[in-house]
């Protein structure tokens, strides 16, 4: 998952330098950054993002303390010291030399009395995006051998880099004009400092493989190349879509390199499930998630106080706020003991063996492989675009009522995760599902929002009674009602297909993911994408060509049969008519499977 927080001057800046950059530990005053990282047993931070080229940096370079202080703390060029010395040697004043190193508007400008609403504005220095793999990945990473540990770290790196690339290409916007009302795509890309951590901040250390991606707020405008500030609204709006994309990429990388499969696990009844590695004993999740148990112990007390004060049970938003309050109340202090990763892994394995036995711990990888074979034998990794579209629109409509495109995109990526279980998806398939929903099953709800078009989902008025009660019921959790609605719509589409007798004629409704070799997992490589062997994906052009060939052959056969029938009638007379058949079922109209020019529908177009 991905969480986002702001880095501001003061406490936020101190937390970044004293905690995040040294593995969430405690950095003593006066200790150099590299020495503190070595003492904490964490690797140094590295630079990421395409925006580094404008500053003379390269992806993969180590983040030095002075660079982070200048860029992330003051909004200045990371090589500002050298630039100032050169300008001073040329006869520039100290103020001019300093101003030349500032990227965009100085941070001090926000505190000036001349600035509009200056007292109410606190400048942002950066965004802290925290990337965490699914829970069972932490367990496999901590308790298995070094080979599996390196593979999982590589999978996390690739999934995080791909997600950051999507954010800078499709999401990141820079503000311009008065009040930042005008938005535009960034010219180069983002500037990100990534710091990897190995453990949770609980008093009793537990494995938690995660990384902090500190995104600088500074970026260049596309029209004039000048520096400005990123729009925080754009990143916050798409953080859930980025979260689901990161999980999808991580699952695909793990399945491709280790041959493992994934399965959904319901954490809270009636809520969204999470994806776990198949075969990992779920008892380890409770052993690893000590913080979650602390939050769950404090949550009933806060919930009872809320019900006593408000007179009713908390809703979805109130429940989330209460969970955040419980997390803040149970947050432990920083640990003063710092251990290397080797020592941490020894402690974790000893603790797990003492709790569950050596056989359970040492056979984790073997059980994951056996469980993966069972999953691939049971689950067919096929994406049906028509069913995916109705599933996405039903879930989002019941959960939210009115929604935007990024809500559909996040749910489409969840659908891919649930169906594929780690198999690779075609690039752009999530966008294709969303476009199908927008074209066929939505209508405007306001100037910026849309909602489900019930007449498109259920053409007859009496059919809408299947979906409407689910949106109004409050006896069941929202996600449970959403799954019921999606199941009803999926049954409606299948019934329409059966009524049209589409089973006797091949049509490309689904995008099939080729099955991989179950007995030979993918080779491991230590360098980026080198050695990564993925299955050849089904091409859209190939599917379309096959469809056209089959339709042409069917038309030729139909014409031949028609000519034969006419010749037989001319020779022997027409056949006697049989008794009239019963009326066709009323639900013979296809949903989302027709082809309208210029619209993306249920097939692969």
């Amino acid at each position: 998952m991905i969480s986002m927080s702001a880095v501001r001057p003061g406490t936020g800046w101190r937390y970044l330098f004293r905690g995040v950059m040294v593995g969430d530990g405690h950095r003593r005053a006066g200790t150099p950054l590299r020495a503190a990282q070595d003492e904490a047993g964490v690797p140094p931070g590295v630079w990421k993002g395409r925006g580094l080229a404008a500053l003379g940096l390269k992806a993969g370079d180590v983040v030095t303390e002075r660079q982070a202080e200048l860029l992330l703390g003051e909004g200045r060029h990371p090589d500002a010291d050298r630039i100032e010395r050169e300008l001073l040697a040329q006869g520039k004043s100290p103020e001019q030399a300093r101003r030349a190193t500032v990227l965009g508007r100085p941070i001090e400008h926000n505190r000036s009395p001349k600035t509009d609403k200056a007292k109410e504005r606190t400048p942002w220095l950066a965004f802290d995006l925290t990337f965490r793999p699914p829970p069972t990945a932490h367990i496999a990473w901590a308790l298995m051998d070094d080979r599996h540990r390196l593979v999982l770290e590589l999978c996390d790196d690739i999934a995080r880099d791909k997600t950051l690339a999507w954010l800078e290409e499709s999401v990141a916007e820079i503000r311009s004009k008065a009040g930042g009302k005008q938005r535009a795509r960034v010219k180069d890309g983002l500037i990100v400092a990534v710091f990897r951590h190995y453990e949770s901040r609980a008093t009793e250390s537990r494995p938690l493989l995660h990384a902090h991606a500190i995104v600088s707020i500074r970026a260049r405008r596309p029209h004039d190349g000048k520096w400005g500030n990123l729009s925080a609204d754009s990143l916050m709006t798409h953080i859930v879509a980025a979260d689901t994309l990161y999980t999808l990429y991580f699952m695909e990388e793990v399945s491709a390199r280790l041959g493992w499969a994934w399965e959904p696990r319901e954490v809270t009844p009636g809520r969204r499930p999470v994806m776990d590695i198949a075969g990992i004993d779920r008892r380890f999740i409770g052993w690893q998630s000590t913080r979650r148990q602390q939050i769950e112990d404090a949550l009933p007390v806060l919930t009872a106080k809320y019900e006593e004060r408000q007179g009713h049970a908390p809703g979805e938003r109130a429940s989330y706020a209460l969970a955040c309050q419980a997390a803040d109340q149970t947050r432990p202090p920083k640990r003063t003991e710092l251990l290397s990763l080797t020592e941490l892994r020894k402690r974790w394995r000893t603790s797990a063996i003492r709790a569950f036995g050596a056989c359970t711990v040492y056979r984790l990888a073997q059980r994951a492989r056996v469980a993966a074979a069972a999953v691939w034998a049971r689950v067919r990794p096929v994406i049906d675009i028509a069913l995916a579209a109705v599933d996405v629109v039903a879930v989002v409509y019941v959960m939210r009522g009115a929604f935007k495109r990024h809500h559909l995109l996040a749910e489409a990526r969840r659908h891919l995760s649930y169906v594929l279980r780690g198999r690779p998806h075609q690039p752009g398939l999530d966008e294709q599902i969303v476009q199908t929903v927008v074209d066929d099953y939505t209508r405007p709800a306001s100037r910026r929002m849309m909602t489900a078009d019930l007449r498109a989902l259920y053409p007859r008025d009496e059919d809408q009674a299947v979906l409407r009660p689910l949106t109004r019921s409050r006896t069941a959790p929202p996600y449970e009602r959403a799954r019921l609605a999606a199941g009803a719509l999926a049954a409606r589409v299948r019934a329409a297909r059966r009524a049209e007798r589409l089973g006797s004629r091949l049509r490309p409704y689904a995008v099939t993911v080729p099955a991989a070799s179950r007995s030979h997992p993918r080779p491991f490589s230590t360098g980026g994408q080198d050695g990564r062997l993925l299955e050849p994906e089904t091409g859209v052009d190939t599917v379309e060509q096959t469809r056209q060939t089959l339709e042409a052959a069917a038309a030729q056969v139909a014409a031949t049969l028609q000519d034969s029938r006419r010749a037989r009638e001319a020779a022997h007379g027409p056949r006697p008519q049989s008794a009239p058949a019963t009326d066709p079922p009323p639900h013979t109209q296809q949903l989302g499977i027709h082809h309208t020019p210029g619209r993306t529908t249920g097939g692969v177009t």
Side-chain angles (χ1 to χ4, degrees):
M1 62 173 294
I2 302 176
S3 60
M4 177 178 175
S5 60
V7 179
R8 294 186 174 93
T11 57
W13 171 246
R14 288 193 296 270
Y15 174 73
L16 172 63
F17 263 73
R18 298 180 183 177
V20 171
M21 297 175 67
V22 291
D24 281 337
H26 180 73
R27 180 184 179 187
R28 296 189 301 272
T31 306
L33 174 62
R34 193 67 190 93
Q37 290 170 341
D38 290 339
E39 184 180 357
V42 295
V46 294
W47 291 109
K48 298 284 185 179
R50 296 183 313 185
L52 295 172
L55 300 176
L57 299 175
K58 296 181 181 179
D61 289 348
V62 175
V63 180
T64 65
E65 184 172 10
R66 185 55 179 166
Q67 289 176 341
E69 182 180 355
L70 289 170
L71 180 60
L72 303 177
E74 301 178 9
R76 301 169 62 194
H77 195 285
D79 200 9
D81 295 337
R82 179 188 59 81
I83 297 175
E84 282 190 6
R85 287 194 302 268
E86 294 178 354
L87 293 177
L88 290 175
Q90 297 174 9
K92 301 292 184 180
S93 65
E95 183 179 355
Q96 291 175 335
R98 176 181 172 82
R99 183 64 184 88
T101 62
V102 176
L103 305 179
R105 176 179 296 179
I107 294 177
E108 294 81 2
H109 177 79
N110 295 68
R111 305 172 185 173
S112 172
K114 299 180 180 179
T115 307
D116 184 29
K117 297 182 180 179
K119 295 182 180 179
E120 302 176 7
R121 304 173 71 180
T122 302
W124 285 37
L125 304 174
F127 312 99
D128 184 3
L129 302 180
T130 305
F131 291 78
R132 290 189 291 272
T136 46
H138 307 312
I139 298 168
W141 168 81
L143 301 181
M144 293 185 184
D145 56 25
D146 285 336
R147 174 183 174 272
H148 289 89
R149 176 181 67 84
L150 293 175
V151 172
L152 291 171
E153 290 179 3
L154 177 62
C155 294
D156 176 62
D157 285 340
I158 296 175
R160 183 189 63 244
D161 292 347
K162 287 184 176 181
T163 305
L164 289 174
W166 176 76
L167 286 174
E168 66 181 355
E169 291 174 1
S170 304
V171 176
E173 294 179 335
I174 191 168
R175 301 180 299 175
S176 60
K177 301 297 182 182
K181 297 180 180 180
Q182 185 174 346
R183 310 289 177 88
R185 297 294 184 197
V186 295
K187 180 178 182 180
D188 305 306
L190 301 178
I191 304 171
V192 188
V194 178
F195 300 91
R196 165 164 282 166
H197 296 173
Y198 295 136
E199 54 182 331
S200 66
R201 59 179 294 160
T203 304
E204 184 181 357
S205 173
R206 284 292 180 260
L208 183 63
L209 177 66
H210 64 288
H212 291 263
I214 312 300
V215 182
S216 173
I217 199 172
R218 305 299 189 185
R220 292 207 299 174
R221 299 188 181 97
H223 55 279
D224 56 7
K226 294 182 179 180
W227 291 90
N229 291 342
L230 291 173
S231 171
D233 298 339
S234 300
L235 291 179
M236 295 178 66
T237 298
H238 292 82
I239 195 65
V240 178
D243 176 15
T244 53
L245 181 63
Y246 165 73
T247 303
L248 181 62
Y249 279 142
F250 183 80
M251 292 170 55
E252 291 179 359
E253 292 295 331
V254 170
S255 297
R257 297 176 183 279
L258 295 175
W260 295 346
W262 298 77
E263 57 184 1
R265 173 175 63 92
E266 187 181 59
V267 180
T268 304
R271 299 293 182 89
R272 295 183 186 275
V274 298
M275 301 303 294
D276 283 340
I277 299 173
I280 301 295
D281 196 329
R282 294 183 177 179
R283 293 179 299 171
F284 285 103
I285 299 176
W287 166 80
Q288 182 260 347
S289 303
T290 56
R291 283 284 295 129
R292 179 176 179 84
Q293 187 61 44
Q294 295 172 356
I295 295 173
E296 290 180 352
D297 293 341
L299 191 57
V301 179
L302 297 176
T303 303
K305 292 182 179 179
Y306 178 90
E307 294 178 352
E308 181 180 358
R309 183 173 61 254
Q310 301 293 337
H312 60 83
E316 185 177 3
R317 292 185 178 180
S319 299
Y320 177 78
L322 292 175
C324 294
Q325 184 178 352
D328 292 338
Q329 290 183 359
T330 59
R331 185 181 297 273
K334 293 286 186 180
R335 297 181 310 277
T336 58
E337 183 185 16
L338 301 176
L339 299 174
S340 65
L341 179 59
T342 303
E343 291 295 330
L344 288 173
R345 282 168 54 83
K346 288 181 180 179
R347 286 194 176 189
W348 293 335
R349 182 168 295 187
T350 301
S351 174
I353 291 175
R354 187 165 54 247
F356 307 108
C359 182
T360 304
V361 174
Y362 288 114
R363 296 182 64 186
L364 278 175
Q366 178 184 355
R367 292 182 177 181
R369 289 192 295 269
V370 172
V375 170
W376 298 133
R378 183 181 74 252
V379 178
R380 185 186 178 198
V382 174
I383 298 298
D384 189 312
I385 297 179
L387 293 179
V390 297
D391 181 272
V392 169
V393 71
V395 172
V396 177
Y397 174 65
V398 175
M399 294 288 289
R400 304 190 64 89
F403 45 84
K404 294 185 179 180
R405 188 183 182 91
H406 61 85
H407 298 125
L408 298 173
L409 185 59
E411 190 60 37
R413 289 167 176 171
R414 291 192 186 99
H415 180 86
L416 294 176
S417 300
Y418 298 156
V419 176
L420 296 181
R421 305 294 181 90
R423 288 292 187 229
H425 71 283
Q426 289 185 359
L429 186 57
D430 49 355
E431 292 283 357
Q432 186 177 357
I433 295 173
V434 171
Q435 191 62 43
T436 303
V437 174
V438 173
D439 287 345
D440 296 339
Y441 302 131
T442 60
R443 61 178 177 82
S446 63
R447 189 168 62 91
R448 297 183 178 180
M449 307 289 286
M450 53 184 162
T451 188
D453 187 356
L454 297 185
R455 291 192 177 276
L457 293 169
Y458 287 100
R460 303 194 315 169
D461 292 338
E462 55 267 26
D463 291 335
Q464 297 181 20
V466 179
L467 187 61
R468 288 188 183 276
L470 295 173
T471 63
R472 299 170 181 171
S473 173
R474 295 296 181 266
T475 58
Y479 187 72
E480 183 177 343
R481 291 185 276 117
R483 296 312 313 162
L484 292 174
L489 289 176
R492 176 75 172 85
V493 173
R494 293 190 181 98
R497 289 180 177 180
R498 287 193 298 268
E500 292 288 336
R501 299 179 180 273
L502 295 178
S504 61
R505 180 179 173 188
L506 294 177
R507 295 287 294 274
Y509 293 107
V511 176
T512 306
V513 178
S517 173
R518 271 68 165 175
S519 59
H520 301 287
R522 305 300 157 76
F524 162 65
S525 65
T526 58
Q529 301 284 357
D530 298 337
R532 179 187 175 205
L533 300 178
L534 297 179
E535 300 93 346
E537 297 177 343
T538 304
V540 176
D541 296 337
T542 304
V543 175
E544 181 64 16
Q545 183 179 1
T546 304
R547 181 185 69 81
Q548 294 176 359
T549 303
L550 292 174
E551 289 185 351
Q556 184 177 2
V557 171
T560 303
L561 293 177
Q562 185 72 6
D563 294 341
S564 300
R565 185 179 63 82
R566 290 176 179 174
R568 185 174 57 253
E569 289 179 355
H572 305 285
R575 289 186 177 182
Q577 298 292 331
S578 59
T582 58
D583 293 334
H587 305 299
T588 56
Q589 180 179 357
Q590 272 184 289
L591 296 179
I593 309 175
H594 55 281
H595 294 271
T596 304
R599 302 180 71 184
T600 304
T601 53
V604 179
T605 60

